Amino acid sequence: MSGFTKQGPRNDTPYTPTAGVGRRRAGDLSWYQRRQLTGVLCVLPAALFITLFFFIPLVLAFWMSLYRWPLLGIHKFIGVANYVAAFHDSTFLHAAGFTAEYTLIITPILLIVGLILALLVKGSRRGTGFFRTVYFLPVPIGFASASFLWVWLVQPDVGPFGRILQMMHLVAQPPQWLAATASALFVVIAMVTWKTSGMQMILLMSGMQAIPTELEEAARVDGAGRWQVFFHITLPLLRPTLALVLVFSVAGSLLAFDQFYIITGGGPSNSTITAVYWIYHTSFVTFQLGYGSALSILLMLVLAAVSFVQLRLIHRSTEF
Amino acid sequence: MKIGITKLVDLRQAMPALAWWVVCSALAALFIFPIYLMVMQSVKPLDEAVAIPPTLFPHQFSLESFLALSGENGSINIVHHILNSLYVAIAAVVGTVVVSTLGGYGFARLPFPGRNTLFFAMLTTFMIPFQAIITPLYLVLRTIGIENTLLGLALVYITFELPFGLFLMRNSFATIPAELEEAAFLDGCSPLSALPRVMLPLALPGVVTTALFTFFASWNEFFAALILITDQDKLTLPVTLSILQTGQFGTLNWGILEAGVVVSAIPCIIIYLLLQRYYVSGLLSGALK
């Protein structure tokens, strides 16, 4: 740290080599070239990681999707047969449909709960900081841990949730939550809402605090009511943040795996198998790696399309 | 008057202060209740943990559930799996911090031809879910000869935390005033030696945030760990819990499973409470910039 003082000689234009800098080198490289070289060397490790463990597997995924590729044994080129098979695979089609259904149900729930929490805890009055912290508390817990918690909570005989409903005389017998598709889905949605709405809250809250208060004031002066201001001023101006929260929620839901694998196990009778769950099953339970890759590519395309549409939404909504 | 107007859309203004406290406290109870039940379940004696109907608080305090995870009589040795998780998480944190600090510095401060294109290419990895490339990733690890190892898993985690880390560190370095860097150069620092001496101390909040996010992500990750690690010996905590859930070692005891969940979840909660500031600001800078 010794060489650094704020009072050091100043230079008007950034990055201009001076006599002071130039004296340090005797080699052939100019100061600029040396800085360029350092830049390349600095980003090299990152580039290597991403090439080796991201771009190569990505290319490999396309390639494998054109083959019949068992874990052991001979790979056979079969063209687009895997893709054709995907559209005749009733479990996959059901899984894709179920994933879409799950996404469509949970996204508005998370948005609304996040919005309500954000409205409750924004500002700086006494207590808001505490409640923010509490609502955010489940966010750092992993999806797997949270799922292992909730799968116990909803057990029919030893689980406390059924018992509490019973004690409140809301049910005669503790319900068999995981025995029916709708109630199993309800449990997963409750768990995910509990675990992630704090995250939505924080994002939406900071979006709200970025809205210039003059706009709301002006509307109020013009005679708008409290809820009119919310629906006609705040909500439209919150669109960039809403779009962002939407992207998070939709991408996360389309990739759902942990919560269904752990809580429902895909049951009852495979009705809660998600797209990623089926890819996992295809690739690592029945070891059809080529077919699994084809399904992965399809998932990637869907996700890219959805993200693209949503990013357009963000882009357009920032031009107000 | 002015304060009243600026806080129009504040729900608190729409309800009396008492109602606000009641609503917020009730919600807080809902958020905390599952965590409370989890901790209580883990400190019940084993027979009380599976009692029907269940007790909502321990009638008797006991650490039997935790002791059942000590590895005796061929049971799961939770300490071993904690160490596996710690190894992977710390390796991933160190790797991600070093690689994304260097990369972020390069991308923010050291122009070279093709820099922006390369940065953009790395950010595209945000768009593609790693779940979709897990199969070929497994084959790549097998080709290198590190399939089914904690090192391989850590390298995978580093790769998937890198886009966020690079993004965050690039922003951290980009906001440092150019004068400070120039002063360092004039004082005789090379571009590389300016990093630890001048730039890094100023970008420290970014480093903490990157480290924190990588730790949480790696400690909690389930999908890749489930697929890439096949030796029970090498399992990380979340996948170990799934072994407990299947009741592979005698019948499933919900007290033991929840003790395992406590071991995996409570550290995250404590770290979050201690470093909340970095966590939330990182979330916002990562998301909103």
Side-chain angles (χ1 to χ4, degrees):
Chain A
M1 294 299 288
S2 58
F4 167 57
T5 53
K6 279 188 180 174
Q7 288 76 36
R10 292 281 291 268
N11 206 336
D12 288 342
T13 41
Y15 304 122
T16 303
T18 64
V21 176
R23 101 185 107 86
R24 300 243 321 158
R25 277 166 322 286
D28 294 317
L29 293 175
S30 75
W31 191 84
Y32 288 114
Q33 285 171 322
R34 246 173 55 121
R35 197 178 60 177
Q36 282 191 353
L37 186 64
T38 312
V40 172
L41 290 176
C42 277
V43 303
L44 197 63
L48 281 178
F49 266 99
I50 290 180
T51 305
L52 189 56
F53 298 118
F54 185 82
F55 285 119
I56 289 178
L58 186 62
V59 173
L60 211 51
F62 280 100
W63 189 50
M64 287 172 74
S65 72
L66 304 174
Y67 283 76
R68 180 177 294 128
W69 192 305
L71 187 63
L72 303 167
I74 295 155
H75 317 143
K76 186 167 176 286
F77 183 80
I78 52 170
V80 294
N82 282 327
Y83 292 93
V84 175
F87 289 98
H88 294 98
D89 177 346
S90 61
T91 315
F92 174 66
L93 294 178
H94 183 273
F98 176 74
T99 310
E101 184 190 340
Y102 167 70
T103 305
L104 287 176
I105 296 174
I106 192 130
T107 302
I109 292 179
L110 288 181
L111 267 186
I112 291 168
V113 173
L115 212 48
I116 291 173
L117 294 179
L119 286 170
L120 281 171
V121 301
K122 82 190 187 95
S124 54
R125 208 206 271 180
R126 203 154 62 92
T128 51
F130 170 76
F131 289 122
R132 254 177 247 165
T133 303
V134 170
Y135 302 157
F136 198 81
L137 217 48
V139 175
I141 300 175
F143 259 104
S145 304
S147 302
F148 285 119
L149 167 57
W150 279 68
V151 73
W152 163 66
L153 293 175
V154 301
Q155 285 303 305
D157 38 12
V158 297
F161 277 5
R163 174 66 182 158
I164 290 167
L165 292 183
Q166 198 182 19
M167 285 161 74
M168 293 163 81
H169 298 289
L170 292 173
V171 291
Q173 287 300 315
Q176 304 267 349
W177 303 97
L178 302 179
T181 309
S183 56
L185 181 59
F186 174 79
V187 168
V188 170
I189 286 172
M191 187 282 279
V192 174
T193 308
W194 170 75
K195 191 188 132 38
T196 58
S197 53
M199 166 100 122
Q200 315 263 8
M201 170 193 77
I202 289 285
L203 295 174
L204 290 168
M205 192 187 77
S206 73
M208 284 177 191
Q209 286 172 346
I211 295 175
T213 49
E214 292 79 10
L215 291 167
E216 289 163 1
E217 281 171 38
R220 186 65 171 170
V221 169
D222 287 349
R226 193 170 278 143
W227 292 105
Q228 274 179 309
V229 171
F230 177 71
F231 282 107
H232 297 288
I233 307 288
T234 313
L235 220 45
L237 289 178
L238 206 55
R239 253 181 71 186
T241 319
L242 284 172
L244 186 96
V245 169
L246 203 67
V247 175
F248 277 177
S249 162
V250 168
S253 311
L254 288 177
L255 297 171
F257 173 78
D258 300 6
Q259 56 269 47
F260 288 100
Y261 181 82
I262 293 166
I263 295 180
T264 71
S269 49
N270 291 351
S271 61
T272 60
I273 292 223
T274 60
V276 172
Y277 200 146
W278 188 241
I279 291 172
Y280 163 77
H281 190 272
T282 314
S283 297
F284 297 100
V285 178
T286 56
F287 294 110
Q288 303 164 268
L289 301 189
Y291 184 50
S293 295
L295 297 182
S296 302
I297 300 290
L298 291 175
L299 175 73
M300 226 184 280
L301 292 177
V302 170
L303 215 80
V306 170
S307 302
F308 178 75
V309 170
Q310 288 177 319
L311 286 174
R312 283 291 297 271
L313 199 71
I314 294 180
H315 186 68
R316 209 178 314 153
S317 60
T318 48
E319 297 163 4
F320 57 80
Chain B
M1 181 64 184
K2 178 149 185 170
I3 288 175
I5 287 170
T6 55
K7 293 202 168 180
L8 284 178
V9 288
D10 203 324
L11 262 190
R12 287 186 321 238
Q13 295 291 312
M15 58 172 87
L18 181 67
W20 179 79
W21 278 100
V22 171
V23 169
C24 283
S25 306
L27 282 170
L30 279 181
F31 275 90
I32 291 180
F33 194 52
I35 299 173
Y36 160 83
L37 287 172
M38 163 184 87
V39 175
M40 290 303 124
Q41 174 75 353
S42 71
V43 296
K44 290 174 187 172
L46 289 179
D47 50 349
E48 193 187 334
V50 291
I52 301 173
T55 53
L56 297 183
F57 57 90
H59 293 183
Q60 213 185 329
F61 176 84
S62 157
L63 291 178
E64 276 172 24
S65 292
F66 291 95
L67 294 175
L69 294 169
S70 67
E72 279 168 37
N73 310 321
S75 70
I76 292 274
N77 181 356
I78 198 86
V79 177
H80 181 76
H81 297 283
I82 292 173
L83 291 177
N84 285 349
S85 272
L86 267 183
Y87 170 83
V88 172
I90 291 173
V93 165
V94 172
T96 308
V97 163
V98 170
V99 175
S100 55
T101 300
L102 282 173
Y105 181 58
F107 281 125
R109 290 300 191 165
L110 306 171
F112 56 87
R115 181 173 72 150
N116 290 336
T117 315
L118 191 61
F119 186 66
F120 181 76
M122 290 191 174
L123 286 197
T124 57
T125 55
F126 267 134
M127 305 280 289
I128 292 165
F130 81 94
Q131 286 91 338
I133 59 163
I134 195 79
T135 315
L137 197 54
Y138 174 78
L139 295 181
V140 168
L141 291 177
R142 201 171 67 173
T143 308
I144 307 176
I146 49 170
E147 88 275 24
N148 189 22
T149 64
L150 294 174
L151 175 69
L153 193 60
L155 293 178
V156 169
Y157 290 163
I158 292 172
T159 308
F160 289 106
E161 292 309 308
L162 260 185
F164 178 73
L166 282 172
F167 182 74
L168 206 74
M169 291 314 297
R170 179 175 175 266
N171 283 349
S172 301
F173 285 119
T175 53
I176 297 174
E179 288 82 6
L180 294 176
E181 192 186 27
E182 287 158 33
F185 292 157
L186 290 172
D187 284 347
C189 281
S190 72
L192 198 60
S193 66
L195 174 63
R197 292 190 186 178
V198 179
M199 304 301 275
L200 197 55
L202 296 168
L204 213 54
V207 171
V208 176
T209 305
T210 307
L212 209 52
F213 273 79
T214 309
F215 181 84
F216 281 126
S218 320
W219 178 266
N220 288 327
E221 208 283 332
F222 183 74
F223 183 73
L226 178 72
I227 289 168
L228 298 179
I229 302 290
T230 46
D231 281 2
Q232 192 176 304
D233 203 39
K234 296 175 186 160
L235 293 181
T236 52
L237 264 183
V239 188
T240 309
L241 297 180
S242 71
I243 302 272
L244 289 176
Q245 189 194 17
T246 57
Q248 212 158 307
F249 300 90
T251 52
L252 162 64
N253 183 295
W254 294 98
I256 298 177
L257 179 63
E258 293 315 305
V261 177
V262 164
V263 169
S264 132
I266 295 298
C268 294
I269 293 181
I270 292 173
I271 293 173
Y272 157 67
L273 289 175
L274 291 177
L275 298 173
Q276 195 176 359
R277 193 161 56 93
Y278 293 100
Y279 190 80
V280 172
S281 73
L283 195 71
L284 295 179
S285 70
L288 299 180
K289 267 183 192 161

